[in-house]
């Protein structure tokens, strides 16, 4: 049973198919059938007119950005509608977006994604175990009266904090880039939209803030300053 937010991505190979709707109706019906039942909602649909051999997918980029800002999953009628390139699929899986293919058994997503998730899970387990062992070793050393810390360690901590700040800045910039086309869409329908009106429009589209809350004018201004 499917639950949560979904963003649909449809692709046709020719302009003629795109203009006539040939192939699109079948893809939409496949997605509707796949999502049938459960508590779900389709937040947006994106249509690409592009050959399956091409990696240039501006509409797919928009769909992935919408998934990231809403926390939704990308749903595609079948694998061939997305890509026939294994390398391209690998890049897609690195985008940090859950993908559901209607023509594949649901094993938490496609088999390739499932295997990647297991690899990530193993790496996280190992990192957690190493961290736990380190904490226990430091606690034991402290209990023996050993003095912990050194100027070198303090310096590394400063470097770590600086690197952490850089990561947060990049994440904020990436999220602002994902939000940019959505805010542009809001402004296109209301050129004089205030920050509060943009915030309300983002809430209405079901797009949460980076911390999962509702939008304020101040938060919108921060995003705009990064665009």
């Amino acid at each position: 049973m499917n639950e949560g937010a979904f963003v649909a991505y449809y692709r046709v190979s020719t302009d003629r198919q795109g203009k006539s709707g040939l192939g699109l109706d079948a893809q939409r019906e496949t997605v509707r059938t796949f999502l049938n039942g459960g508590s779900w909602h389709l937040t947006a649909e994106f249509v690409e007119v592009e050959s399956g051999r091409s990696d240039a997918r501006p509409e797919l980029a928009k769909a992935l950005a919408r998934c990231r800002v809403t926390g939704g999953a990308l749903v595609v009628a079948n694998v061939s509608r997305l890509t026939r390139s294994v390398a391209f699929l690998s890049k897609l899986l690195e985008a940090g977006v859950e993908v559901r293919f209607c023509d594949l058994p649901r094993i938490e997503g496609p088999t390739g994604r499932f295997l990647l998730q297991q690899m990530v899970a193993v790496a996280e387990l190992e990192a957690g175990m190493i961290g736990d062992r380190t904490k226990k070793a430091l606690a034991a050393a402290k209990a023996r009266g050993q003095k912990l810390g050194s100027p070198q360690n303090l310096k590394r901590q400063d470097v770590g904090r600086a690197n952490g700040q850089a990561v947060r800045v990049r994440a904020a910039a990436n999220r602002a880039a994902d939000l940019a086309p959505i805010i542009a869409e809001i402004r296109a329908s209301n050129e004089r939209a205030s920050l509060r009106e943009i915030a309300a429009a983002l809430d209405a589209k079901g797009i949460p803030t980076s911390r999962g809350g509702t939008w304020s004018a101040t938060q919108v201004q921060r995003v705009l300053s990064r665009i």
Side-chain angles (χ1 to χ4, degrees):
M1 184 175 291
N2 292 295
E3 296 183 350
F6 289 87
V7 174
Y9 174 76
Y10 312 115
R11 184 186 65 80
V12 291
S13 299
T14 66
D15 289 329
R16 182 177 180 182
Q17 289 179 335
K19 292 176 181 178
S20 67
L22 182 63
L24 291 178
D25 290 340
Q27 291 179 57
R28 286 193 173 98
E29 182 59 31
T30 298
V31 167
R32 279 195 294 268
T33 301
F34 175 76
L35 294 176
N36 187 35
S39 175
W40 59 270
H41 59 284
L42 200 61
T43 62
E45 295 179 303
F46 294 86
V47 178
E48 195 94 71
V49 180
E50 186 58 76
S51 167
R53 297 179 179 179
S54 173
D55 288 352
R57 304 288 182 81
E59 293 303 311
L60 177 59
K62 294 178 184 177
L64 292 173
R66 184 63 63 91
C67 287
R68 285 192 291 266
V69 298
T70 60
L74 185 73
V75 59
V76 186
N78 53 64
V79 176
S80 65
R81 289 300 91 192
L82 186 59
T83 181
R84 296 183 177 87
S85 166
V86 175
F88 182 76
L89 183 58
S90 297
K91 292 179 182 178
L92 174 68
L93 295 174
E94 293 171 1
V97 171
E98 183 179 358
V99 184
R100 305 277 182 84
F101 293 112
C102 301
D103 61 337
L104 292 180
R106 183 179 175 185
I107 315 175
E108 294 301 324
T111 302
R113 181 177 176 82
F114 175 77
L115 294 175
L116 286 176
Q117 287 175 332
Q118 302 317 300
M119 293 171 64
V120 171
V122 170
E124 289 178 344
L125 175 62
E126 290 178 344
M129 293 174 67
I130 292 172
D132 186 56
R133 288 196 298 267
T134 300
K135 289 179 180 178
K136 289 180 179 178
L138 290 173
K142 186 175 182 179
R144 294 193 301 268
Q146 182 177 341
K147 187 176 181 180
L148 302 178
S150 67
Q152 290 80 6
N153 288 336
L154 293 174
K155 183 177 180 180
R156 283 194 288 270
Q157 289 177 3
D158 290 339
V159 172
R161 281 193 290 269
N163 289 340
Q165 177 63 20
V167 169
R168 289 190 289 273
V169 170
R170 284 197 299 271
N174 290 338
R175 182 169 172 79
D178 287 340
L179 288 166
I182 301 173
I183 293 177
E185 179 183 320
I186 294 171
R187 283 179 158 174
S189 60
N190 182 3
E191 295 181 358
R192 298 184 179 180
S194 66
L195 295 177
R196 289 183 181 277
E197 289 172 331
I198 294 174
L202 290 170
D203 288 334
K205 288 178 177 293
I207 298 172
T209 63
S210 59
R211 295 187 179 183
T214 56
W215 288 87
S216 68
T218 300
Q219 291 168 315
V220 172
Q221 181 59 55
R222 288 173 183 168
V223 170
L224 292 176
S225 70
R226 295 188 177 103
I227 296 176

